[in-house]
Amino acid sequence: MTLGQYIKQLRQQRALSQPQLASQMTVEQSYLSKLENDHSIPSNEVFRKLLAALDLDLGSFMQGVAEQGDKHSLTQIPDIEAWYQNLDKHKLARRRSWILMALVCISLGCALFYSGYRTLFLPERQYEYHSYGELRDEEPLDLYTRWHRYVSDADKQNRADYDALRLMYQKRQAPERLYSFDYRGSAFVVQVDNGRRYFEMQPERVHHVSRPGNAWMQFIGIVLFVAGLLALLLERRYARAH
């Protein structure tokens, strides 16, 4: 559709004759006839008068002609040329936003999948630590396992005293196990109300615990990665089509 054909169509839709529209535009009827027959291109001033006479803004006018009109002739009018330039800027901004969103999805998808696969945030190796009982502040850390080292020679020679000490340490024992996904060394001390506890890692008690969160991170990572690739593909096809 040419610009002249579009002006004529708009005039007829409003049931206006050429003389009536020309009068509202304050131009000669012969000049309006030239416009409708594409024998002339309106100046920017005349174009604005046309919009005012048809009670249209530039955006509404362009909705009916932007896709099917002759862009070369339309852009000879400064206001329409500026409208096309602004439209191109918006399209470019949308394309950039779309590409950025796709790249973010791909990057985030890769990061999530790698984190879930390598169990970076949710470790699956669980360490078991064991404590035999509470210790007073002045007592050695290995008291429960090597208490006989700290028995005096006199007590060692007296069987009854030696057995009494052994029974006392056995009764004091209050075993406690602590499980941790964080490696806290081969041993560590924890302060408690009545003193402290000495925890030792049990090397043979390192467990593998499956955590669903890692599988979910891998799944979401794959979904985001595929979504990002599809978004890039769709953007490329859209750019080619336009």
Side-chain angles (χ1 to χ4, degrees), residues 138-149:
E138 70 278 1
E139 291 177 331
L141 298 178
D142 60 350
L143 178 66
Y144 289 106
T145 55
R146 299 181 179 179
W147 60 270
H148 52 277
R149 288 188 175 186

Side-chain angles (χ1 to χ4, degrees), residues 126-130 177-179 200-202 205 207:
Q126 189 181 64
Y127 302 93
E128 182 178 330
Y129 292 89
H130 181 265
R177 296 186 184 277
L178 188 149
Y179 299 90
E200 286 186 295
M201 189 181 76
Q202 308 296 301
R205 297 284 186 140
H207 312 284

Side-chain angles (χ1 to χ4, degrees), residues 7 10 32 42 65 78-79 87 105 131 143 153 161 164 186 190 226-227:
I7 292 173
L10 290 174
L32 177 59
V65 74
D79 280 358
L87 180 65
C105 283
S131 171
L143 178 66
D153 292 337
D161 291 341
S186 59
V190 175
V226 172

Side-chain angles (χ1 to χ4, degrees), residues 9 19 24 37 54 64 75 100 127 135 163 205 215 224 228 237:
Q9 181 186 88
Q24 292 180 15
N37 291 306
L54 295 174
T75 52
L100 179 62
Y127 302 93
L135 297 166
D163 290 341
R205 297 284 186 140
L224 288 175
R237 289 187 176 180

Side-chain angles (χ1 to χ4, degrees), residues 77-146:
I77 302 172
D79 280 358
I80 294 181
E81 182 181 18
W83 185 88
Y84 272 113
Q85 290 176 350
N86 189 53
L87 180 65
D88 290 339
K89 288 180 181 178
H90 283 296
K91 286 183 178 179
L92 181 60
R94 284 198 297 269
R95 284 190 62 195
R96 287 176 176 173
S97 298
W98 189 264
I99 292 173
L100 179 62
M101 180 191 68
L103 293 177
V104 168
C105 283
I106 291 173
S107 301
L108 185 59
C110 290
L112 277 175
F113 181 84
Y114 181 79
S115 299
Y117 180 75
R118 300 293 295 180
T119 66
L120 297 181
F121 299 112
L122 297 174
E124 295 186 346
R125 175 174 287 187
Q126 189 181 64
Y127 302 93
E128 182 178 330
Y129 292 89
H130 181 265
S131 171
Y132 288 96
E134 295 184 1
L135 297 166
R136 301 184 183 93
D137 291 335
E138 70 278 1
E139 291 177 331
L141 298 178
D142 60 350
L143 178 66
Y144 289 106
T145 55
R146 299 181 179 179

Side-chain angles (χ1 to χ4, degrees), residues 47-66:
F47 177 68
R48 290 178 179 179
K49 289 181 178 180
L50 173 65
L51 292 182
L54 295 174
D55 193 24
L56 289 173
D57 57 26
L58 179 59
S60 300
F61 180 86
M62 293 304 299
Q63 282 181 359
V65 74

